[in-house]
Amino acid sequence: MAQKLKLEIVTPASQVLCEEVDEITAPGNMGQFGVLPGHTPLLTILDVGEFSYRKGSDVYYLAVNWGYVEVADDRVLVLVETAESQDHIDLARAKAALGRAEAKLKELNPADKEYRILQGALQRALVRIQVGSRGSRH
Amino acid sequence: MANLKDIKKRITSVKSTQQITKAMKMVAAARFRKAGQAIEAARPYAAKMQQVLASLALREDPAAHPLLQKHDRRGKALVLVLSSDRGLCGGFNLNVAKAAEQFVRSNADGFDSYEVVVIGRKGREQLKTRGLIADKVYEDVTADATYATAALIGQEIVHGYEQGEVDAVYLVYNAFFSAIRQEVTVDQLLPIIPAEAEAEVFPVQPLYEPARGEVLSSILPKHVEVQIYRAFLESLASEHGARMSAMESASKNASEMIAALTLQYNRVRQAVITTELVEIISGASSVQ
């Protein structure tokens, strides 16, 4: 298909990306979903997860953290809290964070207020590890 | 004529003042750089968010969520004024207070009453001298403008709007352009203004995932928080910029004053020496 998607990713800290891509896959709040050119207008909530986009035959991965996606007229606007590409992920740090979160979660019981915060941290660490260990991008 | 000791004293005092203004300028410059970067980084996100919301407000039925609904009643409007906690920043607080006062007094939209919420101690003081008493003041939150604070204020505002306690919300703040240019801006925060409808575009109902209500009640309050946060950062960068240029000119004025005083000091000194010489010479000649 000749048509392309215009993908824009912004976080409160910076504009991460503004590119023409062929396809995206995003971690929707109700499950992973894909968008191809010609998609119907869509507004959805993103969860913590792995976001990927395809340009030609190259697939790029990003770890994103909670936000929104708006699809309209082959424009994909991604508003997320954080977005980290593979190059920006510190695997060692993510693994350390995972270990910490797991250890603490064992001590707490699910009713604690901290439990949910920690679970979030755990999830983010998992996603980072998943994205970071995807191997090289080509 | 002023005596030597007095002039000397003044020179010393002006010098130490200059030291303070110079130091403050340096500090402001460092903070300004940081704040400037923060606002530059935050702008795209806030702008895109605004864009999403504006198009959403255009397509969406206002009844879908209380934050989209325009209140027919023109009861009370909330004005959130962003100022600073510290002074010595030129016309920064004065300008924002002036704009807020003008906005409330002119009452262009015909509200019955206004609730004035001020962020920053100096803004409250300025408004007070202008006869506007702040209904609520947040102090000591501007120094390190965190998202958490903005979110807290946002939640309170959203709650007030949903409960119908206020019928519109405005933001008054110094928009940041450059170190020497800040402009007071009044933004309507709530109700959300829909985008201008483009003639050829049909308002298409987008898909919502999960349900429409859930998406809306997540994104709308978030939008309010993001916009308040952006105004926070704008105001902070403006504050440091304003302080920087105020301290710059204060240091310059101090230099001029020191130069003038030194000149005067030397003149007086010379006059004293001349008088003494004349006295000695005339004394000596009378002895001869």
Side-chain angles (χ1 to χ4, degrees):
Chain A
M1 206 186 292
Q3 261 182 316
K4 293 240 178 199
L5 283 170
K6 194 169 183 303
L7 172 66
E8 269 185 90
I9 302 179
V10 277
T11 69
S14 68
Q15 174 140 22
V16 178
L17 196 79
C18 182
E19 271 189 270
E20 300 252 296
V21 301
D22 294 306
E23 182 187 354
I24 67 151
T25 316
N29 169 288
M30 304 188 66
Q32 199 87 1
F33 69 94
V35 176
L36 285 165
H39 199 283
T40 179
L42 168 79
L43 184 67
T44 185
I45 305 175
L46 284 191
D47 245 341
V48 178
E50 184 185 68
F51 184 96
S52 67
Y53 60 98
R54 186 170 62 79
K55 246 170 95 178
S57 57
D58 298 339
V59 182
Y60 301 85
Y61 296 95
L62 291 155
V64 297
N65 178 7
W66 203 85
Y68 307 96
V69 172
E70 188 200 40
V71 182
D73 310 327
D74 286 340
R75 240 191 48 243
V76 181
L77 189 57
V78 182
L79 296 164
V80 281
E81 298 290 292
T82 62
E84 290 156 330
S85 67
Q86 287 181 301
D87 316 338
H88 288 107
I89 291 171
D90 186 345
L91 259 184
R93 212 187 116 201
K95 278 184 182 147
L98 178 70
R100 264 205 313 277
E102 271 175 344
K104 268 207 189 147
L105 275 178
K106 272 184 202 139
E107 292 166 20
L108 293 168
N109 76 65
D112 280 342
K113 215 169 134 196
E114 244 182 295
Y115 194 82
R116 269 186 48 208
I117 301 171
L118 274 168
Q119 260 186 337
L122 184 85
Q123 226 174 352
R124 281 196 294 277
L126 277 173
V127 168
R128 284 201 183 105
I129 291 168
Q130 187 192 346
V131 172
S133 38
R134 276 266 176 194
S136 85
R137 41 167 57 171
H138 302 301
Chain B
M1 191 181 268
N3 72 46
L4 276 177
K5 211 173 153 197
D6 288 344
I7 299 174
K8 189 94 196 160
K9 231 188 207 162
R10 279 208 64 194
I11 293 178
T12 328
S13 116
V14 174
K15 265 190 183 154
S16 56
T17 307
Q18 193 193 26
Q19 252 166 9
I20 295 170
T21 58
K22 267 188 180 162
M24 278 187 77
K25 190 189 126 196
M26 306 275 260
V27 173
R31 293 216 175 119
F32 167 72
R33 209 168 306 131
K34 228 174 98 190
Q37 277 164 1
I39 179 64
E40 294 295 340
R43 261 183 198 153
Y45 187 82
K48 294 291 172 198
M49 192 81 159
Q50 182 95 54
Q51 200 182 317
V52 170
L53 261 291
S55 67
L56 188 112
L58 171 69
R59 291 184 311 248
E60 203 45 70
D61 175 14
H65 194 272
L67 287 186
L68 287 172
Q69 239 159 11
K70 230 172 134 177
H71 295 190
D72 292 328
R73 199 155 41 98
R74 298 246 159 224
K76 196 192 242 176
L78 192 146
V79 183
L80 185 64
V81 183
L82 281 96
S83 69
S84 72
D85 282 310
R86 290 159 183 241
L88 293 178
C89 45
F92 177 82
N93 289 312
L94 182 77
N95 289 341
V96 80
K98 223 193 260 175
E101 190 211 359
Q102 207 173 25
F103 182 74
V104 170
R105 295 234 191 277
S106 70
N107 197 3
D109 293 324
F111 288 102
D112 295 342
S113 64
Y114 283 87
E115 184 179 342
V116 183
V117 177
V118 183
I119 295 171
R121 193 175 304 127
K122 291 288 165 186
R124 184 202 60 192
E125 288 166 14
Q126 284 283 359
L127 281 173
K128 204 172 161 196
T129 62
R130 300 180 159 267
L132 265 187
I133 304 296
D135 297 288
K136 196 164 186 184
V137 186
Y138 294 90
E139 287 186 4
D140 297 318
V141 294
T142 56
D144 49 343
T146 58
Y147 186 80
T149 322
L152 211 71
I153 296 170
Q155 278 154 20
E156 234 166 89
I157 286 175
V158 165
H159 182 77
Y161 191 81
E162 283 180 346
Q163 298 294 315
E165 286 161 21
V166 293
D167 300 316
V169 180
Y170 297 90
L171 275 175
V172 185
Y173 62 97
N174 275 286
F176 169 73
F177 290 94
S178 74
I180 45 167
R181 202 159 89 88
Q182 300 96 31
E183 257 169 41
V184 179
T185 312
V186 182
D187 279 353
Q188 182 178 333
L189 190 62
L190 288 174
I192 292 158
I193 309 168
E196 295 288 315
E198 290 169 46
E200 73 269 29
V201 177
F202 286 99
V204 188
Q205 275 277 345
L207 284 177
Y208 287 105
E209 235 181 276
R212 184 173 77 167
E214 257 177 83
V215 174
L216 291 182
S217 56
S218 155
I219 199 166
L220 293 171
K222 175 85 180 168
H223 165 73
V224 173
E225 293 169 13
V226 167
Q227 296 308 329
I228 292 175
Y229 182 57
R230 183 187 61 95
F232 254 53
L233 292 179
E234 296 261 6
S235 174
L236 191 68
S238 300
E239 180 194 337
H240 290 310
R243 178 166 298 125
M244 206 167 79
S245 39
M247 289 302 112
E248 163 96 52
S249 58
S251 304
K252 218 177 86 205
N253 290 345
S255 296
E256 276 168 25
M257 197 152 184
I258 290 168
L261 282 171
T262 313
L263 190 72
Q264 196 192 353
Y265 176 79
N266 287 337
R267 277 205 188 121
V268 173
R269 192 172 59 103
Q270 222 163 15
V272 170
I273 292 170
T274 316
T275 343
E276 273 178 14
L277 272 177
V278 167
E279 273 166 13
I280 291 167
I281 293 166
S282 58
S285 64
S286 71
V287 173
Q288 268 177 359

